[in-house]
Amino acid sequence: MGYSIMEKAKEEEKKGKVEEEPESEYNWPALESDPGILTNYMHTLGMPKTWELREVIGLEPDFLAMVPAATVALVLAYDYKVGKGKRPEPPKDHPKVDYYMWQTGDLDNACGLIACIHALFNNVSTVKILPGSPLMKFYELSLKQTPEEKAATLDSLKEMKEAHKKCAKEGQSDPDGGEDEAKYHFITFLLNGAGELVELDGIAGVPIKLKDKCLPSEFISSVGAEILSRLEKGIVTERMALMALCPISSQSQFLLYFFTFLI
């Protein structure tokens, strides 16, 4: 695939762009699959500004080699309505992770936020969430809850909900999705404490193990191979965006501080 998967997704989203967006009818409107918008959103909620969600421009080895080795999670947004392949049912014996929550009906289109939460909350020892921030408050409230209780707690947090709606309005797509509502679904890939490659999807019910043993040095290429396999099977299509949760490069960090100072 010698193309930018993010550009492919943006081209498809522009086709459905509307001139005026009505007030969203969803409690949690769908988010734009844009790493810049999602990074700003997570910074607002309490992700340290030394971390970002960065675009992965393709699944070929040369593109994957450009993904920072310090990446702790990969977030995939894909067009789940277009994919034709049938995914296997999640196994009853599922892998252990530090944090997993459901996407219940009340959280309608919150999959983008949930994917980011899964990425961050399973890496709290590395990605130091800011004390007193909305993310840290939610983490502390929900850590020992069941996946369903976590969903109810998130839905009760007005500050998180308002920030989510504000972020949804920043994208190009209709927050209500129009006739093709919530076309993109977000999931997370990461390594758990046992060194297993795991997929976290709020609507799957449980974490899903993809690989028994996966070295950190194999993480990015293993996720790339998994996505390519799903492409071949028709489970996903080329309408997707893949993002890496990783430290901000020194150059990006300088630009962030520079523009923050100007503002």
Side-chain angles (χ1 to χ4, degrees):
M1 296 191 312
Y3 57 84
S4 166
I5 53 179
M6 179 63 72
E7 290 176 359
K8 181 78 173 180
K10 287 180 178 178
E11 287 175 4
E12 295 293 343
E13 286 174 346
K14 285 179 181 178
K15 295 177 182 178
K17 186 178 179 181
V18 294
E19 294 299 324
E20 296 183 3
E21 296 179 347
E23 186 69 22
S24 174
E25 65 184 46
Y26 292 107
N27 291 323
W28 300 84
L31 297 179
E32 186 84 8
S33 54
D34 182 290
I37 291 175
L38 290 176
T39 294
N40 290 337
Y41 179 26
M42 290 302 107
H43 285 166
T44 299
L45 293 181
M47 182 176 77
K49 292 193 175 181
T50 52
W51 286 77
E52 68 176 339
L53 286 154
R54 182 183 301 186
E55 176 186 359
V56 178
I57 62 176
L59 298 175
E60 293 179 338
D62 288 346
F63 290 135
L64 293 179
M66 297 167 61
V67 180
T71 294
V72 296
L74 288 162
V75 174
L76 176 68
Y78 66 98
D79 188 341
Y80 69 97
K81 286 194 172 183
V82 176
K84 303 297 184 182
K86 183 179 180 180
R87 290 195 52 179
E89 292 295 322
K92 293 182 179 179
D93 183 19
H94 58 83
K96 299 291 189 294
V97 293
D98 293 335
Y99 195 97
Y100 176 73
M101 66 176 292
W102 288 356
Q103 180 183 350
T104 59
D106 289 335
L107 295 178
D108 39 46
N109 290 327
C111 57
L113 173 58
I114 291 171
C116 292
I117 285 172
H118 282 151
L120 291 167
F121 288 6
N122 282 284
N123 289 287
V124 291
S125 62
T126 305
V127 188
K128 306 292 187 180
I129 299 170
L130 301 183
S133 66
L135 276 175
M136 181 54 75
K137 291 176 183 177
F138 174 53
Y139 178 76
E140 293 173 343
L141 283 171
S142 64
L143 180 59
K144 296 183 179 180
Q145 294 180 332
T146 67
E148 186 174 16
E149 289 170 342
K150 289 180 173 76
T153 297
L154 177 59
D155 191 50
S156 71
L157 297 178
K158 184 177 179 180
E159 186 177 11
M160 296 275 283
K161 188 176 295 185
E162 292 307 312
H164 186 90
K165 289 181 178 180
K166 182 178 179 181
C167 177
K169 291 180 180 179
E170 293 180 14
Q172 298 173 342
S173 302
D174 179 356
D176 284 331
E179 296 179 358
D180 189 24
E181 65 179 46
K183 67 170 71 172
Y184 289 99
H185 182 59
F186 292 73
I187 59 176
T188 304
F189 300 97
L190 49 81
L191 298 180
N192 66 4
E196 298 167 325
L197 179 60
V198 176
E199 173 187 342
L200 300 179
D201 180 348
I203 63 175
V206 295
I208 301 170
K209 181 168 64 176
L210 302 175
K211 190 175 181 181
D212 284 323
K213 291 295 180 182
C214 183
L215 296 174
S217 59
E218 302 170 335
F219 169 58
I220 295 167
S221 60
S222 294
V223 173
E226 174 67 23
I227 296 172
L228 284 174
S229 174
R230 295 182 187 187
L231 274 168
E232 293 173 357
K233 296 175 182 177
I235 296 171
V236 300
T237 73
E238 293 177 353
R239 295 173 60 181
M240 69 171 76
L242 184 62
M243 294 160 278
L245 177 60
C246 59
I248 295 180
S249 65
S250 56
Q251 181 179 7
S252 298
Q253 203 166 353
F254 170 78
L255 291 174
L256 175 65
Y257 289 140
F258 177 74
F259 285 113
T260 301
F261 175 78
L262 289 180
I263 294 172

